[in-house]
Amino acid sequence: MHCHYHPDRVSVEACEVCGRPMCADCLWYADSGQRLCPVHGELWQLQGRDVHPPERYAAGAAFS
């Protein structure tokens, strides 16, 4: 499966809200353990939820 946002990249996870597949450069993590796409990650961040942008984990996730 390929990333919804970068069709030339292989996905490593899917958003637990909308189900879109994502590569490591798009993957947001919530402290609750949920994996989110950029749209939902940014939305949750605006809502004040504890989330972490892709930069925090991208290097490690790229090879998982």
Side-chain angles (χ1 to χ4, degrees):
M1 191 175 292
H2 289 89
C3 178
H4 176 81
Y5 301 95
H6 301 101
D8 60 321
R9 299 180 191 175
V10 174
S11 65
V12 295
E13 290 283 352
C15 178
E16 293 185 45
V17 176
C18 66
R20 290 180 181 139
M22 301 164 291
C23 67
D25 289 332
C26 293
L27 182 60
W28 285 66
Y29 282 98
D31 280 355
S32 61
Q34 291 178 290
R35 289 149 181 91
L36 306 167
C37 69
V39 171
H40 289 105
E42 290 175 11
L43 178 63
W44 282 31
Q45 187 174 48
L46 288 172
Q47 293 173 345
R49 297 184 189 190
D50 293 324
V51 294
H52 305 282
E55 298 81 33
R56 183 168 181 176
Y57 300 104
F63 300 104
S64 62

